[in-house]
Amino acid sequence: ISVAQERFAAAFIRLKLSTFLSLDFPPTQECRILATTLKDERREGFLMLLAAHLKFRGYPVYYFGTDLPREDLNLLVREIKPEVVCLAYGTPQNLLGDLDYLVHLKVPVCLGGDAVFHSQVAPA
């Protein structure tokens, strides 16, 4: 497919999933889940699918989109007190750069995205 077709499909899916994520379902599970990408990460397809799936399964999902600064993630973790933080990475260098930060977040972190599944970069 062409780049234009790919962009159209991505925008279409983003629109549909964001509409679903904005619906107010009463949660049936207690585990609060925060989903976002950190600074310089803008690919959110995986994260939106995961958030929509979890919301459909009754989890209270707090979705904050892409490119969130680390300081804001710290603030959100203190305010929301999620049991899990889900992050997506498309760039291996960003993931490697955030590992030390994520270890000290004091909440379990779920990682996904191309950088996790297709990375050829090993930590130094």
Side-chain angles (χ1 to χ4, degrees):
I1 64 174
S2 71
V3 172
Q5 290 169 324
E6 179 186 1
R7 298 259 170 98
F8 176 80
F12 180 79
I13 292 168
R14 189 178 308 112
L15 176 66
K16 295 297 183 182
L17 287 174
S18 65
T19 301
F20 179 77
L21 287 171
S22 68
L23 295 175
D24 196 19
F25 290 114
T28 59
Q29 307 291 328
E30 292 187 23
C31 179
R32 290 176 306 278
I33 300 169
L34 190 152
T36 191
T37 71
L38 293 179
K39 188 173 180 343
D40 297 328
E41 288 291 341
R42 292 176 185 84
R43 297 187 70 189
E44 63 184 327
F46 162 81
L47 194 64
M48 289 185 89
L49 286 170
L50 176 65
H53 173 76
L54 291 169
K55 188 167 186 170
F56 181 71
R57 295 289 181 202
Y59 289 92
V61 176
Y62 299 85
Y63 182 77
F64 287 92
T66 62
D67 204 26
L68 186 75
R70 284 182 179 180
E71 300 79 29
D72 289 351
L73 180 59
N74 284 333
L75 178 64
L76 290 172
V77 167
R78 283 195 306 271
E79 288 179 3
I80 296 171
K81 296 178 179 54
E83 279 74 24
V84 178
V85 172
C86 294
L87 301 172
Y89 284 91
T91 309
Q93 292 77 13
N94 290 345
L95 172 57
L96 291 173
D98 286 345
L99 284 178
D100 285 338
Y101 164 74
L102 297 175
V103 168
H104 295 81
L105 198 55
K106 297 183 181 173
V107 65
V109 177
C110 168
L111 298 174
D114 288 343
V116 175
F117 297 109
H118 302 291
S119 177
Q120 299 297 319
V121 179

